[in-house]
Every structure is written in structure tokens, then in C-alpha cells.
Amino acid sequence: MHAWQFEKYGNYKDVLHWVERAAPTPSHDQALVRTAAVSLNFPDLLIIQGMYQHKAPLPAVPGVEAVGIVEAVGPASKFKIGDRVVGFSHSGGTLADSFLVNNSSAWTVPTHVSDEQAAALSVVYGTSYFALEHRAQMRAGETLLVLGAAGGVGLAAIQLGRLMGANVIACAGDSKKLDICAQQGAHHLINYKTEDLVARVKAITGGHGADVVYDPVGGEIFDQVKRCVAWGSRLVVIGFAGGKIPSIELNRILLKNMSVIGLAWGQYLDRGSELPGVAQALFYDLIARKQIDPVIYKVLPFADTKEGLRLIESREVYGKVVIKR
Ligand SMILES: NC(=O)c1ccc[n+]([C@@H]2O[C@H](COP(=O)([O-])OP(=O)(O)OC[C@H]3O[C@@H](n4cnc5c(N)ncnc54)[C@H](OP(=O)(O)O)[C@@H]3O)[C@@H](O)[C@H]2O)c1
């Protein structure tokens, strides 16, 4: 088979090559899936640089989620040949003609969900749903502040937050991205490059502050975020797209009676939790009822994978980039 492969860690522009390599063999509860579509994620950039929490043994293939048709199965796989499935792989492998999935991190896809939707669904909605529902336990009527709101996980948080009855404030770095956030259901918009985040959140909430913060960015903006949270708020740490891992003073946490909560969606899969499968069925249902829909920025052919990664790296993208065969 052919695959995008890197033999050493580095920038994708330098180290990623289209090569021929042996197709993997499914063992035990694994299935081999013929790739139809792959969605790119911010962590792909980190995986290729060797900076992600899971270091793929070299030579490695990037890509953490994809959809396709099962072509071979291990003896304990829950799938059969011909099934259409979507799968997640923490250490990569989906940017190839075929990829492996196992029982705890792959699900069949119903016919009303397109390849593009399926490829773009699991990571971003899984992350946002687990953050808001399981970790923050957000309630209807609360104010949700979404950072990096026009990114993959951010737009999913807007759609789900609105559906859960929250008052959604979207923060992004330019007006075009904020327009997209408004189209996806955000009630209020803040440009965090040009506006005073603390003052705007306080004005929008009548001085109350944000009840739930969804933060995939970290970085410099966090210093403002921690000053506009409500008493009893929950701040969910999603990631550090801004590059810097921020910190918070314990006295602030005490005085605001707040919780700082981590969310690592992939860990639910690695630990064999039943919850991601339940959530996946919910997402399919919400798509059928037109209550969620992944925002696809661009669909590119496999040959243009590096261009897709560039779009993410340059922050040009909103929503998802999908690579199709
Ligand atoms: N915890 C989990 O389980 C989990 C799961 C999936 C993803 N994540 C993490 O969540 C973060 C976002 O993922 P994503 O797929 O939504 O990424 P994305 O689509 O690239 O969006 C990231 C957003 O972050 C903002 N940003 C601020 N500083 C940035 C910088 N220096 N470089 C790039 N973007 C920057 C950008 O918005 P503006 O331009 O508007 O500022 C961008 O829209 C990543 O750190 C990823 O690792 C965590």
C-alpha cells in the first residue's frame, strides 16, 4: 500500500514522504480498513514533530482518524469484511491506503452520514461532548466561553453548547472566523486580538463571568481568561494550540470556588470505556436530526495532504480539513 510516512521527527514539510510500505496485518480485536476519507487534526502536526503525548515508533504514518471499508479482520474483531467504519488511532496510521482499528476505538457508520462527516466527527465532537457533559457537567442557562472557537474542537463546542442550552460566547482571532462562529450558533463574539476579553465577558454576563470555559488554546490569552470566570465556574483544559502551557494561582481557584478540569478524550478509548460508543451513536442521531454538522473547511485529495497540514499550521483553517481518496 501507499502511505504518508516520516522516518524522523520534524516539520511535515521536510520529513513527510509518500512511500510504498507493507499493509499492516490485523491481530486479535483489530480490523484493517481500506481508507475512504481522513480528517486532519492539530495533533497531526505534533505527532510528526515527535511532540505529542504518544510518540509513534519510526518509521511512522500520521493521521488519527479516518473512515473506510473493512477489508480484513482479526479473530476477535467486532467488525466483518465490508463494514463501513470510522476509527481513531492515538499514535497515527490513517494517512495511508489502509489503516488498523481496534474494537474500543472504532464504530460502524450509518448511511445517512457521509464519508466527510464521518471522518470529521469523532475527535472534535467526542472532545467537546466529554468536556461539556462529562467533565464540566454544564447546565442549561449557564454561560460557556469557547476559546479557539473557529477551530475543529471549538466549532463542535459551539454547536453542542448551544444544543445543551448554554449562552455561548465564541472567541477567535479574526472577524471572518467570528462570522463562522455566529453561523454555527454562538450568541456572542469576541475578537481576542482586538478586544478586551475580560471587559467583554463581564459586560455580556452582567458582571457574573463565564460559568464554563472550554480552552484548547492556553498561551497568553489564558491570563485574561482566568480573570473573567464566575463563582463556581469550571475551566476545562483541552489543549495548548497557542504553544504555551499556562498556569493559574491557587488563591484564584479558592476565591472563585472554581474547578480546573482536564479532558483527554483519547484516554477514554485507550482505557476501553463504553462511553465513546454511546456518544458516537448520539452524534449520528444528532446529524440525522440536523442538530449538529461538522464544518468542513476544505476537502483535498491525498496528494495535497501537506497543503492540508499547512492550512492548519498557518491558522487559515476554520473547522476541519478532510483528505479524500
Ligand atoms: N484534550 C483532548 O482530548 C483533545 C482532543 C482534540 C484536540 N485537542 C487539542 O485542542 C487544540 C485545538 O485542536 P483543533 O483540532 O481544534 O485545532 P485547530 O482546528 O487548528 O484550531 C486551533 C485554534 O487555536 C487558535 N490558536 C491560537 N494560537 C494558535 C497557534 N499558535 N497556532 C495554531 N492555532 C492557534 C486558532 O484560533 P485563532 O486563530 O482564532 O486564535 C485555531 O483556530 C490542540 O491543542 C489539540 O491538541 C485536545
Side-chain angles (χ1 to χ4, degrees), residues 69-206:
I69 304 292
V70 172
E71 54 185 354
V73 290
S77 174
K78 66 181 181 183
F79 300 116
K80 59 183 188 315
I81 291 170
D83 282 350
R84 181 166 169 255
V85 307
V86 65
F88 171 80
S89 167
H90 223 152
S91 47
T94 66
L95 277 165
D97 285 337
S98 302
F99 61 97
L100 286 176
V101 295
N102 58 39
N103 285 350
S104 65
S105 56
W107 309 276
T108 52
V109 183
T111 51
H112 72 271
V113 178
S114 69
D115 281 344
E116 289 87 342
Q117 288 174 315
L121 192 68
S122 314
V123 170
V124 295
Y125 288 88
T127 301
S128 297
Y129 180 72
F130 277 69
L132 302 179
E133 174 72 18
H134 292 297
R135 302 300 284 141
Q137 300 184 2
M138 191 174 71
R139 297 178 293 274
E142 290 194 309
T143 295
L144 167 66
L145 181 67
V146 182
L147 301 174
V153 298
L155 287 173
I158 291 175
Q159 291 183 6
L160 290 171
R162 189 174 175 116
L163 206 54
M164 291 165 76
N167 177 35
V168 181
I169 305 175
C171 302
D174 71 47
S175 54
K176 171 89 175 108
K177 287 185 177 181
L178 287 169
D179 287 346
I180 304 296
C181 296
Q183 284 164 25
Q184 296 308 313
H187 299 91
H188 308 277
L189 309 171
I190 302 177
N191 183 329
Y192 48 31
K193 287 206 182 126
T194 59
E195 296 184 87
D196 180 337
L197 182 78
V198 181
R200 283 295 318 282
V201 171
K202 290 208 167 147
I204 290 166
T205 59

Side-chain angles (χ1 to χ4, degrees), residues 42-43 127 151-153 172-173 177 192 216-217 238 240-242 263 265 312 315:
F42 189 89
T127 301
V153 298
K177 287 185 177 181
Y192 48 31
V217 177
I238 303 296
F240 311 105
L263 181 270
W265 176 75
I312 294 176
R315 287 163 85 166

Side-chain angles (χ1 to χ4, degrees), residues 264-324:
W265 176 75
Q267 289 279 329
Y268 286 85
L269 307 174
D270 293 352
R271 289 161 188 267
S273 166
E274 299 290 316
L275 293 175
V278 175
Q280 191 76 12
L282 172 70
F283 303 151
Y284 292 154
D285 188 43
L286 292 175
I287 286 183
R289 290 195 272 133
K290 302 200 182 312
Q291 289 184 309
I292 62 168
D293 194 9
V295 176
I296 313 277
Y297 178 74
K298 209 160 247 185
V299 178
L300 296 170
F302 248 67
D304 292 347
T305 295
K306 286 192 184 186
E307 167 62 6
L309 291 168
R310 188 197 66 77
L311 290 169
I312 294 176
E313 184 188 42
S314 66
R315 287 163 85 166
E316 239 173 86
V317 66
Y318 52 82
K320 302 288 291 172
V321 176
V322 172
I323 305 295
K324 264 200 108 173

